[in-house]
Amino acid sequence: MSENRREGIQSEHGFVVKERAHVQIHGMTEVLSFDENNVSLATTSGNMNIEGSELRVNVLDVKEGTVTVDGHIDSIYYQDSEPTAPSRGLFGKLFH
């Protein structure tokens, strides 16, 4: 098992958004931080951020690796923990 996966947590990560007001996530390994504008989670697929307003963590089951967030959801994105390689630009891509 990888270090991100604890016993009992679903190995597959996924989420379902309903009406931009409710998101149910599985495959969560840790809640990194949360406030009314941002929820940051570690998942089995990398760090996940939910941005919006009036966000609330309503259901949290660490053993099962599930979390439910309600509020106005503006965006959901993943943040890689490792920096990506610098862009080579157009000429770097053409003449590699």
Side-chain angles (χ1 to χ4, degrees), residues 3-6 9 27-31 41-44 62 65:
E3 66 182 57
N4 280 349
R5 297 182 186 170
R6 295 189 308 237
I9 293 178
M28 183 258 331
T29 58
E30 181 180 1
V31 175
L41 308 168
T43 74
T44 56
V62 178

Side-chain angles (χ1 to χ4, degrees), residues 14-41:
F15 62 93
V16 176
V17 179
K18 294 182 182 175
E19 301 292 326
R20 290 185 61 185
H22 175 87
V23 60
Q24 183 176 13
I25 303 152
H26 58 272
M28 183 258 331
T29 58
E30 181 180 1
V31 175
L32 301 173
S33 66
F34 67 93
D35 61 30
E36 65 182 18
N37 299 311
N38 186 295
V39 178
S40 296
L41 308 168

